[in-house]
């Protein structure tokens, strides 16, 4: 089945620790995105990538880093510089060739601070 | 920068009834896309409906339909014959045509369908 897989479902971070959230897609989509969701707010864009080895900052990139070494993978690292990392993180992908601007989402990762 | 506003934090509707969710947006673009996404308790984001701004005809998907008023920058969602499975957070979202799908989301409206 084609889709977007995010892992783990739940993640806990200790003070000063970097953690990495995984996002894999087998939809052959070109673009991938990371969003953060906080209670009472909509999704906010952290980073996005249109092509392998290239990515751009979104609205709230500070304290986060990404890589895009393979088309199907777009991991997000929450660094120790992110002082308020507790949130729900969603990964998405889209294909300009199929239906531009329609994004398909993974099931999300819930990150909490110990 | 574009902004999306959903002014109704929560709405309640009885089964089989109709509910309308409001969404307004601000943009200087002439062509763009608008979306409604649904997030049920599982938290999986699901696309409900998509509207292209240059198309005057309102989009419809089964029990879901939109009222797109371009001049007023309004994009409301109507859910007809509401079902218990429609209980979810609904997000309005905006995307320009040249932004590789970057979505600007509203804060969401929680819809609760009661028996």
């Amino acid at each position: 089945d084609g889709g977007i897989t995010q892992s783990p479902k739940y993640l806990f971070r200790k003070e000063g620790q970097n953690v990495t959230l995984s996002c894999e897609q087998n939809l052959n989509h070109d673009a991938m995105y990371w969003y953060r969701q906080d209670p009472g707010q909509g999704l906010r864009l952290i980073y996005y990538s249109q092509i392998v080895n290239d990515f751009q900052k979104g609205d709230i990139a500070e304290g986060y880093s990404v890589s895009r070494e393979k088309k199907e993978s777009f991991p997000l690292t929450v660094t120790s510089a992110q002082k308020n990392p507790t949130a729900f993180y969603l990964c998405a992908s889209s294909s300009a060739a199929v239906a531009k601007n329609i994004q398909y989402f993974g099931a999300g990762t819930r990150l909490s601070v110990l | 920068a574009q902004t999306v506003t959903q002014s109704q934090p929560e709405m309640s509707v009885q089964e089989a009834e109709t509910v309308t969710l409001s969404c307004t947006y601000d943009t200087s673009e002439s062509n763009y896309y608008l979306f409604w996404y649904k997030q049920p308790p599982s938290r999986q984001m699901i696309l409900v409906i998509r509207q292209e701004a240059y198309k005057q005809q309102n989009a419809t998907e089964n029990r879901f339909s939109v009222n797109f008023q371009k001049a007023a920058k309004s994009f409301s969602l109507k859910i007809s014959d509401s079902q218990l499975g429609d209980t979810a957070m609904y997000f309005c979202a905006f995307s320009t045509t040249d932004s590789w799908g970057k979505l600007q989301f509203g804060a969401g409206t929680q819809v609760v369908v009661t028996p």
Side-chain angles (χ1 to χ4, degrees):
Chain A
D1 286 336
I4 301 170
T5 302
Q6 289 188 243
S7 62
K9 190 172 182 179
Y10 300 97
L11 186 59
F12 298 91
R13 192 190 91 165
K14 295 180 181 178
E15 199 72 35
Q17 184 183 40
N18 293 352
V19 293
T20 297
L21 285 61
S22 171
C23 179
E24 303 277 333
Q25 55 99 358
N26 60 5
L27 300 168
N28 199 33
H29 284 178
D30 304 293
M32 298 185 74
Y33 311 81
W34 274 106
Y35 292 92
R36 170 177 172 144
Q37 185 177 21
D38 293 284
Q41 298 189 38
L43 281 66
R44 292 182 292 168
L45 182 65
I46 305 172
Y47 268 98
Y48 66 102
S49 169
Q50 299 172 10
I51 195 170
V52 173
N53 292 323
D54 187 52
F55 47 83
Q56 286 77 40
K57 293 181 179 179
D59 299 322
I60 55 165
E62 185 174 351
Y64 301 97
S65 66
V66 293
S67 63
R68 187 88 186 273
E69 298 177 1
K70 299 185 295 182
K71 186 176 183 178
E72 58 270 23
S73 178
F74 191 42
L76 173 74
T77 297
V78 184
T79 74
S80 57
Q82 173 51 246
K83 298 306 179 187
N84 184 23
T86 296
F88 189 63
Y89 291 86
L90 285 157
C91 178
S93 69
S94 68
S95 171
V98 175
K100 189 179 179 183
N101 298 80
I102 292 179
Q103 293 186 18
Y104 299 88
F105 287 81
T109 293
R110 177 75 189 179
L111 176 62
S112 301
V113 177
L114 289 174
Chain B
Q2 291 81 22
T3 59
V4 178
T5 302
Q6 293 180 251
S7 58
Q8 306 150 313
E10 184 168 339
M11 299 193 73
S12 182
V13 60
Q14 285 193 316
E15 257 186 310
E17 297 296 310
T18 296
V19 63
T20 299
L21 284 56
S22 66
C23 173
T24 58
Y25 58 94
D26 186 27
T27 184
S28 58
E29 302 286 335
S30 59
N31 196 22
Y32 45 86
Y33 299 97
L34 293 163
F35 306 84
W36 280 98
Y37 277 88
K38 165 184 176 180
Q39 188 179 43
S42 67
R43 304 202 75 173
Q44 175 77 53
M45 292 286 284
I46 302 165
L47 177 65
V48 175
I49 204 163
R50 171 180 180 253
Q51 175 80 42
E52 298 181 62
Y54 68 88
K55 290 186 176 179
Q56 293 188 349
Q57 186 174 4
N58 288 325
T60 299
E61 287 289 342
N62 301 315
R63 298 181 294 106
F64 298 88
S65 61
V66 298
N67 183 5
F68 174 47
Q69 301 290 327
K70 191 173 184 179
K73 296 180 181 176
S74 170
F75 184 60
S76 62
L77 175 71
K78 185 170 77 172
I79 306 174
S80 303
D81 186 25
S82 296
Q83 300 175 0
L84 295 177
D86 294 334
T87 292
M89 184 72 85
Y90 287 80
F91 292 98
C92 180
F94 171 99
S95 172
T96 60
T97 56
D98 62 351
S99 62
W100 263 92
K102 286 192 296 177
L103 294 174
Q104 187 71 37
F105 285 86
T109 296
Q110 176 67 50
V111 172
V112 178
V113 181
T114 57

